[in-house]
Amino acid sequence: MPELPEVETTRRGVEPHVVGRRIVALTLHEPRLRWRVPSSLPAKLAGQLIRMAGRRAKYLLIELESGTLLLHLGMSGSLRVLPAQTPRVAHDHFDLVLDSGNTLRFNDPRRFGSLHYTTDVVGEHPLLARLAPEPFDDAFNSEYLWRVTRKRSVAIKQLIMNSTLVVGVGNIYASEALFRARVRPRRQARSLTRDEVSRLVRSIRTVLNMAIRTGGTTLRDYLNADGKPGYFKQKLFVYERAGEPCRKCGTKIRQLTQGQRSSYYCPTCQK
Ligand SMILES: [Zn+2]
């Protein structure tokens, strides 16, 4: 499933190909995505200039002259920039054809992705209005995490994966950030010290930044690759490494289940 780093990687990959381009046409091959794409949408987009390619949580925000497209990759979606005449393959659901001769093509086998268009202030769109801070926002700082952890007895890993408190910390990144912060995933949120909270804020940013950067290295062949980060996995300390030696101390990495998701930690490095 595309997580925040994959979405940001996608944003960076498509940005140079779309910004400053005009939309020639939106061609809907399969409008039945997570929500049906209205058949009136192509007429609204045709001829519009693309001003910016942004992101909020896992939504790509393509800002046009008169509105903004909100695109979500869902569970299995991907976006590619291709020459417009490239033959379609299975699960290619729409083409945003550009005046450069390229198309921004959306493929999504499971169709949990979505495409919305708004002419209102995009941040007030119902899908975005109530989202928690981004991990890279100033609003997500150690004071904030300290405050939200104080009265919560939930496990810290589940807290940082709660998208009503901070968006974009998926399972891999939560395990890795907790290792770097030297905090066990099952610790009660309110038991964390000030130092641990500060380390965790820094670790979350570090881990996500690394994932984005390594995702970026696959972007060189973005035009024909699938845009998925391939190198980040080699740098994982704990995720899916149960029974293997800790890269810092050699202790065997342990695995446990929290909220139906696997967590991994080093019993020596993490307290
Ligand atoms: Zn260790």
Side-chain angles (χ1 to χ4, degrees):
M1 172 155 65
E3 301 281 359
L4 189 145
E6 288 81 357
V7 179
E8 177 61 19
T9 295
T10 297
R11 188 196 70 74
R12 293 180 187 187
V14 302
E15 185 179 39
H17 299 282
V18 302
V19 173
R21 291 292 166 194
R22 248 174 227 287
I23 296 172
V24 173
L26 169 68
T27 313
L28 290 171
H29 313 296
E30 173 54 270
R32 291 170 303 167
L33 303 181
R34 180 166 182 191
W35 292 283
R36 178 180 272 275
V37 182
S39 54
S40 59
L41 187 56
K44 291 179 182 165
L45 304 189
Q48 286 209 54
L49 185 74
I50 300 176
R51 290 190 191 280
M52 247 166 58
R55 180 186 59 74
R56 177 70 173 103
K58 294 206 275 179
Y59 288 92
L60 284 168
L61 306 178
I62 300 176
E63 190 189 310
L64 312 179
E65 284 168 293
S66 318
T68 308
L69 284 166
L70 289 76
L71 202 155
H72 197 288
L73 300 177
M75 308 283 283
S76 57
S78 61
L79 263 186
R80 305 234 235 126
V81 179
L82 300 162
Q85 67 275 18
T86 308
R88 279 165 51 210
V89 297
H91 314 299
D92 282 343
H93 301 316
F94 67 76
D95 274 289
L96 197 64
V97 184
L98 308 172
D99 63 356
S100 57
N102 284 333
T103 182
L104 194 58
R105 184 168 288 175
F106 182 67
N107 184 287
D108 185 4
R110 298 182 62 182
R111 284 197 272 128
F112 277 102
S114 66
L115 181 66
H116 288 85
Y117 179 64
T118 178
T119 53
D120 296 328
V121 176
V122 69
E124 291 169 12
H125 192 278
L127 291 169
L128 306 184
R130 272 187 274 270
L131 288 176
E134 295 273 323
F136 302 115
D137 275 357
D138 291 342
F140 181 71
N141 54 38
S142 45
E143 196 51 47
Y144 171 80
L145 192 59
W146 175 256
R147 201 155 29 79
V148 301
T149 50
R150 284 315 86 191
K151 284 181 182 161
R152 288 182 164 91
S153 53
V154 65
I156 186 63
K157 174 161 179 267
Q158 276 154 306
L159 184 138
I160 59 176
M161 288 181 67
N162 179 344
S163 62
T164 67
L165 299 174
V166 56
V167 300
V169 186
N171 199 37
I172 301 176
Y173 307 112
S175 280
E176 291 297 307
L178 285 164
F179 175 81
R180 286 165 178 270
R182 310 198 295 275
V183 174
R184 291 195 187 190
R186 253 203 301 229
R187 281 270 299 281
Q188 287 198 348
R190 65 179 174 208
S191 78
L192 267 69
T193 65
R194 284 248 180 210
D195 271 357
E196 288 171 332
V197 164
S198 306
R199 290 204 299 264
L200 187 53
V201 167
R202 281 201 305 275
S203 305
I204 288 171
R205 289 185 177 150
T206 302
V207 164
L208 291 172
N209 264 324
M210 279 180 56
I212 292 167
R213 268 207 309 278
T214 49
T217 62
T218 61
L219 286 183
R220 284 192 198 111
D221 44 28
Y222 191 78
L223 292 175
N224 48 31
D226 60 8
K228 282 182 194 154
Y231 299 105
F232 185 67
K233 239 186 153 172
Q234 300 163 15
K235 297 185 178 168
L236 296 176
F237 281 104
V238 291
Y239 186 75
E240 288 188 338
R241 295 195 65 243
E244 292 175 47
C246 171
R247 297 197 204 278
K248 288 229 164 109
C249 74
T251 307
K252 278 187 180 173
I253 299 298
R254 287 191 196 161
Q255 177 177 7
L256 55 88
T257 303
Q258 292 178 287
Q260 286 139 18
R261 310 292 298 273
S262 285
S263 298
Y264 303 85
Y265 69 100
C266 170
T268 303
C269 293
Q270 290 168 264
K271 304 292 176 207

